[in-house]
């Protein structure tokens, strides 16, 4: 199966065996799925994960690029579909179809500064980007990562976070809203960390994923520091049905998220993000 | 190594970027250098707030005490930030604890001395209050975002 190359992959779910399950925080789980053939999915893209009789949810790949044998998805248990999926254990299966959507602008960011800002479960779609950047460090100028969570207990991918914090070639910041004593990172919203970052605004690409309001404040904070809105990329999330641009379920103003996104330049979304109830 | 004067240090600090040099010289008379090791308190909730701090390097936790949970950090402040504004408003008492989380270098400015200078030179006082208003506004904006509990709502 090569994802997009196969029409079946877009419409008919395939069942993949769960090889491993990791509890990342109280309500977030990562699933490593076994693949029999290579599956071509890029950072930023998502699959529709299926719970029989309940429905589907769009979930981004959360580690990668996938090897020929493993595909990783990280899911937060917040509704009946995700509750069903999160209850599954190694040896059981998860049905999915995909991949869908566009990718993060790793190529156009080459040669410049890159800043990643992820909030909460938004770190999941960003992890493959961070991994890709770290694998090609010499092709970028300076790489900064800011990752926000409600509390240290809700910070996902702790092993990665520890490894990233220890690296000298990565400007990494983890910040939480509230912390008990013993937490050595910063406390405060991601925007207060953005004030401290060093980058050259005209040569910077920003990629952000998290709650919409966080992305809006993040994008505005970078605009205030002189980064052009065209160089700021957001990953949008909406409820989806078909995931191939037919049903209109994921429309956001003039944009169809599953077909035109989920990754958008802030210049295309800025006005829409300031409209209430959209 | 040339030792920088307090006014040099204040001129380099973003908080004072909008203030004219002559005012900074005047304010510098109320300042002194200080170093706090990790764990040391710069201010304790309820204590007289007769000083505020311009952070040069390090990390400071703004903490409150919750009976069931112990001390909770609600915000951290680092180089470029200012800690303490209770010296401006009566009853001039710290509203939170401020504790160094690592070795932290600051310029400590004497609030009583500064209040007297603001009375003496109201124009300078006004400029200083404007700088504090911007700082306080930024802090409130950040606190409101924290209160929204953003991350709890992600991924429907
Ligand atoms: S989910 Fe059907 S158009 Fe996007």
């Amino acid at each position: 199966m090569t994802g997009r190359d196969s029409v079946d992959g877009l419409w008919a779910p395939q069942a993949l065996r769960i090889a491993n399950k990791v509890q990342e925080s109280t309500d977030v789980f990562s699933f490593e799925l076994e693949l029999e053939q290579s599956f071509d999915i890029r950072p930023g893209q998502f699959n529709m994960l299926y719970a029989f009789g309940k429905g589907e949810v769009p979930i981004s790949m959360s580690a990668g690029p996938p090897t020929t044998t493993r595909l990783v998805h990280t899911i937060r248990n917040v509704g009946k579909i995700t509750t069903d999926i999160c209850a599954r254990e190694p040896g059981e299966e998860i049905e999915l179809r995909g991949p869908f959507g566009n990718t993060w602008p790793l190529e156009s960011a080459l040669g410049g500064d890159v800043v990643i800002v992820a909030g909460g479960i938004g770190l999941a779609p960003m992890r493959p980007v961070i991994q890709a950047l770290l694998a090609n460090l010499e092709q970028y100028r300076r790489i900064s990562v800011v990752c926000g969570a409600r509390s240290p207990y809700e910070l996902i991918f702790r092993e990665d976070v520890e490894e990233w914090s220890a690296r000298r070639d990565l400007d990494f910041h983890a910040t939480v809203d509230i912390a008990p004593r013993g937490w050595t990172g910063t406390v405060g919203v991601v925007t207060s960390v953005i004030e401290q970052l060093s980058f050259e605004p005209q040569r910077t690409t920003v990629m952000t994923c998290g709650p919409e309001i966080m992305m809006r404040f993040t994008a505005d904070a970078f605009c205030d520091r002189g980064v052009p809105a065209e160089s700021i990329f957001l990953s949008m999330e909406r409820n989806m049905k078909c995931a191939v641009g037919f049903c209109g379920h994921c429309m956001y103003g003039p944009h169809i998220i599953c077909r035109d996104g989920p990754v958008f330049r802030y210049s295309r979304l800025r006005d829409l993000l300031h409209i209430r109830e959209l | 190594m040339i030792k920088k004067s307090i006014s040099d240090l204040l001129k380099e600090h973003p908080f004072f970027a909008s203030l004219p040099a002559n005012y900074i010289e005047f304010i510098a008379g109320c300042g002194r250098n200080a170093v706090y090791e990790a764990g040391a308190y710069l201010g304790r909730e309820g204590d007289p707030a007769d000083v505020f701090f311009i952070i040069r390097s390090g990390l400071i936790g703004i903490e409150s005490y919750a009976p069931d949970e112990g001390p909770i950090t609600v915000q951290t402040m680092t180089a470029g930030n200012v800690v303490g504004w209770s010296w401006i408003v009566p009853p001039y008492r710290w509203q939170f604890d401020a504790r160094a989380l690592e070795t932290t270098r600051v310029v400590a400015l004497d609030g009583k001395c500064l209040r007297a200078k603001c009375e003496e030179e109201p124009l300078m006082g006004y400029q200083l209050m404007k700088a504090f208003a911007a700082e306080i506004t930024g802090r409130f904006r950040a606190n409101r975002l924290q209160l929204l509990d953003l991350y709890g709502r992600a991924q429907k």
Side-chain angles (χ1 to χ4, degrees):
Chain A
M1 168 66 67
T2 54
R4 272 266 186 229
D5 298 342
S6 156
V7 171
D8 282 350
L10 299 185
W11 293 111
Q14 57 172 320
L16 300 179
R17 211 177 75 87
I18 301 168
N20 193 20
K21 178 182 180 182
V22 176
Q23 181 159 11
E24 306 285 1
S25 72
T26 348
D27 56 356
V28 176
F29 299 86
S30 287
F31 292 91
E32 247 181 70
L33 306 174
E34 272 176 13
L35 292 158
E36 279 168 14
Q37 289 169 288
S38 70
F39 190 96
D40 185 11
I41 180 167
R42 307 293 156 109
Q45 291 192 299
F46 61 91
N47 284 316
M48 294 298 284
L49 271 57
Y50 185 51
F52 184 73
K54 296 195 171 81
E56 291 177 301
V57 277
I59 305 286
S60 302
M61 69 182 280
S62 62
T67 62
T68 49
T69 53
R70 290 282 196 269
L71 177 62
V72 182
H73 282 297
T74 300
I75 305 165
R76 182 157 176 235
N77 180 354
V78 278
K80 63 177 193 295
I81 305 171
T82 50
T83 301
D84 180 310
I85 297 170
C86 286
R88 299 186 199 178
E89 295 298 333
E92 293 184 82
E93 290 179 330
I94 289 180
E95 299 80 24
L96 62 82
R97 61 188 177 96
F100 303 104
N102 62 0
T103 60
W104 291 105
L106 283 161
E107 280 86 34
S108 65
L110 284 171
D113 293 333
V114 180
V115 186
I116 306 288
V117 181
I121 186 79
L123 184 57
M126 299 305 328
R127 183 166 68 168
V129 180
I130 299 168
Q131 290 169 332
L133 291 168
L134 291 176
N136 298 287
L137 267 177
E138 66 297 339
Q139 297 188 45
Y140 300 90
R141 283 184 73 223
R142 187 175 2 204
I143 300 171
S144 307
V145 175
V146 181
C147 122
R150 188 197 267 170
S151 75
Y153 312 110
E154 274 139 303
L155 200 55
I156 60 172
F157 306 146
R158 303 233 184 116
E159 273 179 30
D160 294 291
V161 165
E162 262 171 46
E163 191 219 308
W164 296 334
S165 313
R167 289 183 75 126
R168 291 179 159 267
D169 50 8
L170 179 68
D171 179 28
F172 182 81
H173 306 260
T175 184
V176 297
D177 279 350
I178 198 157
R181 196 167 272 185
W183 167 250
T184 51
T186 59
V187 178
V189 284
V190 289
T191 45
S192 39
V193 180
I194 293 168
E195 291 166 16
Q196 315 285 335
L197 301 178
S198 301
F199 52 82
E200 207 177 302
Q202 294 298 324
R203 297 180 65 186
T204 296
T205 302
V206 175
M207 303 180 217
T208 179
C209 185
E212 222 164 272
I213 184 167
M214 182 214 85
M215 291 196 289
R216 174 156 59 89
F217 277 94
T218 295
D220 287 340
F222 281 103
C223 287
D224 289 347
R225 289 202 53 188
V227 178
E230 296 72 42
S231 306
I232 301 171
F233 295 82
L234 288 66
S235 179
M236 296 298 290
E237 194 181 83
R238 281 290 178 277
N239 286 333
M240 291 185 189
K241 292 282 183 211
C242 70
V244 288
F246 283 171
C247 73
H249 213 81
C250 65
M251 282 200 72
Y252 185 61
H255 309 299
I256 293 182
I257 303 266
C258 67
R259 187 195 63 193
D260 309 332
V263 178
F264 290 88
R265 291 178 194 273
Y266 188 47
S267 48
R268 294 182 72 195
L269 296 185
R270 181 157 46 188
D271 294 343
L272 293 168
L273 281 169
H274 288 86
I275 299 174
R276 294 175 186 200
E277 305 292 332
L278 193 65
Chain B
M1 197 174 73
I2 303 165
K3 198 165 172 269
K4 288 184 178 171
S5 67
I6 296 291
S7 72
D8 289 339
L9 294 172
L10 297 185
K11 280 174 196 158
E12 285 171 5
H13 199 278
F15 178 75
F16 288 100
S18 61
L19 261 73
N22 56 326
Y23 287 163
I24 296 178
E25 302 282 350
F26 195 42
I27 291 168
C30 298
R32 64 181 164 82
N33 267 312
V35 181
Y36 291 86
E37 296 302 334
Y41 283 92
L42 290 81
R44 300 293 299 251
E45 189 178 333
D47 281 358
D50 44 21
V51 68
F52 76 97
F53 303 96
I54 302 293
I55 309 178
R56 296 173 53 202
S57 65
L59 190 68
I60 292 172
I62 307 299
E63 298 180 344
S64 194
Y65 190 86
D68 297 338
E69 309 199 33
I72 293 172
T73 309
V74 291
Q75 191 155 33
T76 48
M77 314 298 284
T78 185
N81 292 142
V82 176
V83 172
W85 58 61
S86 301
W87 66 277
I88 309 174
V89 280
Y92 310 120
R93 296 203 172 273
W94 282 89
Q95 306 293 317
F96 291 93
D97 293 341
R99 193 172 65 93
L101 301 178
E102 55 189 59
T103 303
T104 300
R105 292 173 197 286
V106 296
V107 173
L109 287 149
D110 182 321
K112 261 192 206 158
C113 162
L114 215 48
R115 283 201 301 267
K117 290 200 177 192
C118 289
E119 299 294 341
E120 195 183 318
E121 188 70 68
L123 255 180
M124 182 206 72
Y126 177 58
Q127 296 285 340
L128 191 61
M129 291 310 131
K130 279 207 291 188
F132 264 102
E135 176 75 16
I136 293 168
T137 308
R139 206 84 66 83
F140 273 136
R141 198 186 310 130
N143 288 154
R144 280 191 201 118
L145 276 176
Q146 267 170 293
L147 284 174
L148 285 173
D149 188 20
L150 300 177
Y151 311 118
R153 300 176 181 190
Q155 202 188 42
K156 297 254 159 52

